[in-house]
Amino acid sequence: MDRRRLLLSTAALGTAALGTAIPASLSAAARAALPPRDEILRALRRAADHWISAHGDPGDNQWARATFFSGLMALHRATREPRYLAYARSWAEKHDYALHNGVTTRHADDHNAGQAYLDLYEAEGGGDGAKLAALEDSLHRMTYTDRPEKNDDWWWDDALHMAMPPFARLSVLRGDARYAEKLHALHTHTKSAEGGPGLLDPGTGLWYRDKRFLPGGIVSPAGKPVLWSRGNGWVTGGHVKTLKALPRGAAHTAEYRGTLVRLLRALRPAQREDGFWNVNLADAAHLPGPETSGTSFFTYGLAYAVRTGLLPREGHLRAAALAWRGLVTKALHEDGFLGYVQGVGDRPESSQPVTHGTTADFGVGAFLLAGTELLQV
């Protein structure tokens, strides 16, 4: 049996490959219902306030810290708390609203800071084009002048979160469909051509992190596929943010919605009894244990899909509520420290062990995105 057939037979939507299904006993209202809105807000504030108090220096403008600020700006939109806006502004001004590696970069990670710059631009009423100058220059180069025919820049699935939303938002802000078309061309390569077949597995709707993990490549110790949780979390977050940015009837949005829905449906059988997802969605025995960053992005995606009617509330809201319960009762410390975050890496083995005491800026950002989206359900 070749690797593609192995994946389709063992990592489709069955519980044997993807993990232990949520038992019926966990469908009780006390476990499945979302907590009150003010309770969600308290948890979000605890996490944000702890991070800010522990980091007087807001940090660099690379992808990990930029993901935190994307979450913080979402919390600002929900609370209108001036301290959150001020902290985000101090970070952006520290870097002069610039991109890591400059405007000639084509690397998606470098464009992630542009999401928070766009948030600040919108929160402060626009008008100051300097906030977007570097981002716009860089995306304009990719779209118009620097090898616009080159569409293989997003060779890993994380890139979809880092750079899809800036292209989508700039397209709408400037009324320029070329940015949205460039986004689709880059997305199509990642999805359907990278490494040969593309990083999307057609049998499951889940994504490989990069071509090294495609069938015939890296597998788990048990010989099962490696479908990395946070990698699929990045894909989830990228699609949600892109759909939020583009008008509902815009070109390619139906495709993005379908891709997101397939991914989210594939997650439910892999959810753990405590609400989390393991680091490998295709092998429940591969470094099992709660992991916060992937779980937070999946909660974000489920909440968005339920809120917008992409998925029925029945079952899917329960999955989101169970995940949130796990995050706030198991990962969030009393003082607001957020644990069980797998550190920087590209696979289940990265930054192990994942424990109650492991955290990271991007994990906190993902948690803030999840909670703020649940507030709207």
Side-chain angles (χ1 to χ4, degrees):
M1 179 179 291
D2 63 29
R3 292 295 186 189
R4 177 66 69 181
R5 290 179 60 200
L6 173 65
L7 177 59
L8 295 182
S9 63
T10 64
L13 305 186
T15 60
L18 287 177
T20 303
I22 304 170
S25 62
L26 293 180
S27 64
R31 299 291 304 276
L34 284 175
R37 188 175 188 277
D38 61 347
E39 190 174 318
I40 296 174
L41 273 172
R42 284 196 298 271
L44 293 170
R45 285 180 177 276
R46 279 164 55 202
D49 292 349
H50 181 277
W51 185 271
I52 292 170
S53 67
H55 297 85
D57 180 343
D60 62 36
N61 65 345
Q62 297 184 48
W63 66 269
R65 195 56 57 95
T67 301
F68 166 78
F69 280 102
S70 176
L72 186 67
M73 288 302 295
L75 183 57
H76 171 260
R77 289 191 293 275
T79 63
R80 298 299 170 186
E81 172 57 61
R83 291 186 302 109
Y84 300 151
L85 182 63
Y87 187 68
R89 187 191 303 115
S90 73
W91 167 77
E93 290 178 348
K94 173 184 176 180
H95 300 290
D96 296 322
Y97 291 86
L99 302 180
H100 182 65
N101 290 318
V103 297
T104 61
T105 185
R106 300 179 68 95
H107 202 288
D109 286 356
D110 297 333
H111 291 138
N112 195 27
Q115 297 191 46
Y117 298 163
L118 282 157
D119 288 339
L120 285 161
Y121 178 84
E122 293 171 1
E124 297 178 333
D128 184 3
K131 290 184 173 68
L132 304 183
L135 175 67
E136 190 163 7
D137 189 350
S138 188
L139 300 194
H140 187 274
R141 288 168 186 261
M142 289 183 67
T143 303
Y144 282 96
T145 64
D146 180 8
R147 297 163 292 164
E149 75 286 351
K150 176 175 164 54
N151 295 315
D152 60 355
D153 298 285
W154 298 351
W155 52 263
W156 72 117
D157 65 0
D158 312 31
L160 301 186
H161 169 269
M162 310 304 173
M164 281 179 72
F167 273 94
R169 293 173 69 177
L170 197 62
S171 179
V172 173
L173 181 64
R174 298 305 185 214
D176 189 342
R178 286 280 295 275
Y179 290 113
E181 289 304 315
K182 181 62 175 178
L183 157 60
H184 186 251
L186 290 157
H187 175 272
T188 298
H189 176 89
T190 310
K191 178 181 180 180
S192 305
E194 176 62 27
L199 302 185
L200 170 67
D201 176 65
T204 64
L206 298 172
W207 293 63
Y208 298 100
R209 196 272 177 177
D210 58 61
K211 65 184 180 182
R212 297 170 299 166
F213 298 89
L214 288 168
I218 298 171
V219 295
S220 76
K224 294 182 179 181
V226 174
L227 294 165
W228 186 38
S229 179
R230 187 162 69 242
N232 279 272
W234 290 129
V235 174
T236 299
H239 280 77
V240 169
K241 290 179 175 183
T242 298
L243 288 168
K244 283 178 170 236
L246 294 174
R248 183 169 180 83
H252 315 302
T253 54
E255 177 189 348
Y256 300 148
R257 285 192 292 271
T259 300
L260 176 64
V261 165
R262 285 203 68 211
L263 192 165
L264 294 173
R265 283 178 172 159
L267 292 173
R268 288 189 60 204
Q271 191 173 24
R272 293 159 45 97
E273 294 184 14
D274 59 7
F276 288 86
W277 280 266
N278 290 313
V279 290
N280 185 355
L281 301 174
D283 187 346
H286 187 193
L287 296 166
E291 200 287 306
T292 292
S293 63
T295 297
S296 293
F297 274 121
F298 298 151
T299 306
Y300 178 53
L302 286 165
Y304 170 80
V306 168
R307 178 175 67 80
T308 58
L310 295 181
L311 287 172
R313 295 176 72 88
E314 179 65 27
H316 297 95
L317 183 57
R318 173 176 152 237
L322 185 64
W324 183 252
R325 176 185 173 88
L327 289 166
V328 298
T329 61
K330 196 164 190 173
L332 186 64
H333 299 205
E334 280 299 317
D335 65 357
F337 180 95
L338 187 70
Y340 291 111
V341 179
Q342 184 184 18
V344 174
D346 62 2
R347 65 189 74 193
E349 288 82 1
S350 299
S351 299
Q352 291 286 349
V354 177
T355 71
H356 194 238
T358 57
T359 197
D361 40 11
F362 54 84
V364 178
F367 177 80
L368 299 179
L369 289 169
T372 52
E373 195 66 26
L374 284 170
L375 291 172
Q376 302 176 64
V377 173

